[in-house]
Amino acid sequence: MIQIVPAPKKTTFFQREYAYKGETVRTSLDILLGEEEYILEVTAEDGITIIGGSEKAVFYGECTLEQILRQTNNRVRAMKIEDEPEFSYRAFMIDCSRHFFSVDELKAIIDTMARLKFNKFHWHLTDDQGFRMQIDALPKLHREGSVRLGSHFGNTKLNSRYEGYYSKEDMREIVAFCAARFVDVVPELDLPGHATAMIHAYPEMSCRGRKVPVETRQGIFKNILCAGSEKTYDYLYKIIDEMCEIFPGEYFHIGGDEVPKEQWMHCSACKSLMQENNLETYEQLQALMMNRVAAYLESKGKKTICWNDALKGENLAHNFIVQRWLDRKNDTLNWANSGRKVIMGDFFHSYFDYPYAMTPLKKTYSFSPYLKGMDVRGRESVIGLECCVWTEYISFNAAIEYMLFPRAAAIAQTAWGYGREDYTYFVKALESFRPVFKQNRINCAPKKDWNPLPLKRLAGTLKFLNMIRPRK
């Protein structure tokens, strides 16, 4: 037996054995195979061959072969692996707004994720606590919006200046690094909420037009972008234009979560826009705003993703891809059962800023990509999965790696081959992946921390809740 993470779709073993001595593995393309489909064959006579439907598929075959060679000491039993993923969208998200991570730090995580066959890096670059992109048309965004005067997350109180942004060269370097590993970068421009850093730099993007400080705390804040002002859209389009020059991928995320509407309720421009479009609720106004931004992105050749919060107005454009994170009213279920595309990024299973005490590895591995009540059409509407790391309480690289690994590998298994192998197989397969962690100097959580016993789970949960509780 060999154990691979994520587990291949079909493996057939034969009797003879092949001694691999470092010779070049023969690779070729076959247009009859799917874009991410590959066949890996080992025979005693011909050695090792990988056939893929694309260069990306060949790369996935090579990732599988690496794990096989490590387990077999280069004496490989004759076999044939026929493999392809369950879902086309397999993503990980890193929040670089709350805390900033260097290009080199991100590269180590990206390379590790790519070898787990993730193919999307959702890059959260803007939020209340920092705008992290160089935008030449609106330079105050990165010069001023990337700087906050402290970091007051939970009971951590640091009053020193915190800053950092990615230059265009930095972002292009990440895009190129990802492309070499067949990972697309999905940038996020969070709107209309979580926009305090943007409003700090350009107050005219808000309803009140007042300068506000970049937030130093975690939370949901009332300063949001004005939906009724043409200036807001003009600025957003300028930002999008420059982002599209840097990020060539087909997907673009525009947020849409946690948007308090108080300022819109007192804004004459927002009220006028509602009247002009016969809107009854401010949730509908949010969807109208996001529809307009999405239409601009579509003109740029982009497919737009948003969080499921944007479904509340019930007038979101049907071509949106909705990312479900927390949805108590099951709006996402109705969206999917109507045949509209969904990404599953469940708060309770794949949010890795929460400790293992709250989200153990077994719990993550048990995650189903399908919601209760999904019909056949709904299941077909799920295009993939995503795991997320928000960084209000994570400020250094070793910590983010500890939280990600090995839980990200469990999401990798579900996204690549939901239900193919049991948890016992998965844990054994992780052993063959450890050299990748070591090679990339990844601070993987030790096995003793993966699944705490009930009392330790309770203690760990209480410790975390105490850490995130703000001090008076």
Side-chain angles (χ1 to χ4, degrees):
M1 281 293 293
I2 56 168
Q3 287 88 22
I4 307 297
V5 56
K9 186 175 184 179
K10 181 182 179 182
T11 304
T12 306
F13 290 100
F14 304 102
Q15 290 301 315
R16 300 184 67 185
E17 199 175 71
Y18 174 72
Y20 177 69
K21 298 177 182 177
E23 58 270 27
T24 301
V25 174
R26 294 190 307 281
T27 63
S28 62
L29 303 182
D30 185 341
I31 59 172
L32 297 179
L33 297 176
E35 183 191 4
E36 297 187 304
E37 183 181 3
Y38 70 90
I39 298 171
L40 190 161
E41 286 191 275
V42 181
T43 67
E45 298 80 17
D46 300 324
I48 301 171
T49 302
I50 298 173
I51 305 169
S54 67
E55 294 291 347
K56 181 198 292 190
V58 170
F59 171 74
Y60 293 147
E62 291 169 344
C63 290
T64 297
L65 178 61
E66 283 181 1
Q67 293 189 55
I68 292 171
L69 293 175
R70 283 196 292 267
Q71 290 180 60
T72 59
N73 234 359
N74 291 351
R75 294 194 64 85
V76 188
R77 187 173 167 185
M79 68 177 74
K80 182 178 182 179
I81 291 177
E82 300 164 87
D83 198 13
E84 62 181 329
E86 186 86 7
F87 297 99
S88 62
Y89 193 101
R90 306 178 301 279
F92 61 100
M93 190 220 75
I94 299 177
D95 166 19
C96 292
S97 176
R98 276 54 177 265
H99 283 99
F100 182 81
F101 299 90
S102 72
V103 168
D104 286 341
E105 288 171 335
L106 291 175
K107 281 181 176 180
I109 294 172
I110 292 164
D111 184 72
T112 307
M113 290 295 207
R115 298 206 208 178
L116 286 166
K117 303 185 176 79
F118 282 93
N119 63 358
K120 301 287 184 286
F121 169 33
H122 173 184
W123 202 357
H124 189 80
L125 289 159
T126 71
D127 216 295
D128 296 297
Q129 298 84 1
F131 188 97
R132 305 288 175 207
M133 290 180 287
Q134 178 185 347
I135 301 295
D136 293 333
L138 299 168
K140 287 194 286 186
L141 283 173
H142 62 272
R143 291 176 186 166
E144 299 180 18
S146 68
V147 181
R148 63 174 183 256
L149 299 181
S151 297
H152 304 155
F153 297 115
N155 58 31
T156 297
K157 299 291 182 184
L158 299 175
N159 293 316
S160 55
R161 175 185 172 106
Y162 190 92
E163 60 188 308
Y165 68 86
Y166 299 98
S167 69
K168 289 191 171 181
E169 291 74 18
D170 290 335
M171 291 184 283
R172 289 191 179 102
E173 186 176 344
I174 288 292
V175 168
F177 186 84
C178 285
R181 290 153 181 80
F182 303 97
V183 174
D184 298 324
V185 180
V186 181
E188 182 177 354
L189 176 64
D190 209 344
L191 63 95
H194 289 295
T196 306
M198 280 195 276
I199 294 168
H200 169 78
Y202 292 95
E204 57 268 37
M205 295 181 75
S206 68
C207 295
R208 297 190 303 171
R210 300 175 189 169
K211 197 173 186 71
V212 296
V214 177
E215 279 296 342
T216 64
R217 303 162 294 155
Q218 79 282 3
I220 302 170
F221 303 99
K222 63 183 179 181
N223 293 302
I224 66 173
L225 302 178
C226 181
S229 169
E230 283 302 309
K231 176 112 20 203
T232 300
Y233 297 98
D234 178 51
Y235 283 16
L236 288 174
Y237 296 161
K238 286 178 179 177
I239 297 169
I240 288 169
D241 286 346
E242 294 194 28
M243 290 177 71
C244 287
E245 289 175 3
I246 295 167
F247 301 108
E250 62 180 322
Y251 296 100
F252 196 110
H253 206 302
I254 61 170
D257 64 316
E258 300 176 329
V259 185
K261 310 295 194 301
E262 179 185 342
Q263 291 184 1
W264 284 359
M265 295 175 187
H266 299 94
C267 174
S268 58
C270 288
K271 289 179 180 179
S272 295
L273 185 61
M274 290 183 69
Q275 291 172 357
E276 290 168 13
N277 290 275
N278 299 314
L279 303 181
E280 297 179 355
T281 70
Y282 289 97
E283 299 293 355
Q284 292 175 336
L285 179 59
Q286 176 181 335
L288 181 75
M289 182 183 193
M290 297 184 72
N291 289 346
R292 183 172 171 183
V293 175
Y296 187 77
L297 282 163
E298 187 175 14
S299 75
K300 296 281 198 177
K302 302 294 185 183
K303 297 175 182 176
T304 310
I305 305 171
C306 68
W307 302 106
N308 63 265
D309 306 47
L311 291 173
K312 294 175 183 177
E314 299 183 355
N315 59 324
L316 193 71
H318 293 176
N319 58 345
F320 263 91
I321 300 164
V322 170
Q323 181 168 348
R324 182 188 185 276
W325 70 285
L326 188 62
D327 182 4
R328 293 187 174 91
K329 293 188 176 181
N330 268 340
D331 292 328
T332 314
L333 175 64
N334 298 329
W335 184 265
N337 283 347
S338 298
R340 299 162 198 160
K341 290 183 170 52
V342 169
I343 298 164
M344 300 297 289
D346 184 67
F347 171 86
F348 295 103
H349 295 85
S350 61
Y351 267 41
F352 296 155
D353 39 309
Y354 291 87
Y356 288 84
M358 296 175 71
T359 310
L361 181 61
K362 274 187 181 179
K363 182 179 179 181
T364 296
Y365 193 77
S366 71
F367 175 53
S368 168
Y370 302 117
L371 296 171
K372 185 178 180 182
M374 269 186 176
D375 55 24
V376 173
R377 195 179 186 189
R379 291 167 73 96
E380 290 174 349
S381 298
V382 178
I383 66 169
L385 287 80
E386 180 169 309
C387 55
C388 302
V389 183
W390 302 98
T391 61
E392 290 95 334
Y393 313 107
I394 300 173
S395 59
F396 56 96
N397 208 50
I400 200 171
E401 292 169 354
Y402 174 92
M403 300 298 265
L404 265 173
F405 302 109
R407 290 186 291 191
I411 294 298
Q413 176 58 64
T414 305
W416 185 266
Y418 174 58
R420 287 186 190 169
E421 299 292 348
D422 62 18
Y423 180 75
T424 302
Y425 173 99
F426 169 70
V427 171
K428 290 179 179 177
L430 281 175
E431 291 302 316
S432 72
F433 200 80
R434 281 191 180 277
V436 178
F437 294 139
K438 186 175 181 180
Q439 179 182 334
N440 286 334
R441 299 181 179 179
I442 293 292
N443 180 41
C444 178
K447 196 170 183 178
K448 65 180 179 62
D449 293 352
W450 297 353
N451 298 295
L453 294 173
L455 285 178
K456 285 194 173 182
R457 286 193 65 181
L458 176 61
T461 299
L462 292 174
K463 181 180 178 181
F464 178 76
L465 294 176
N466 181 61
M467 180 187 75
I468 67 174
R469 188 178 295 116
R471 267 187 210 147
K472 294 181 181 179

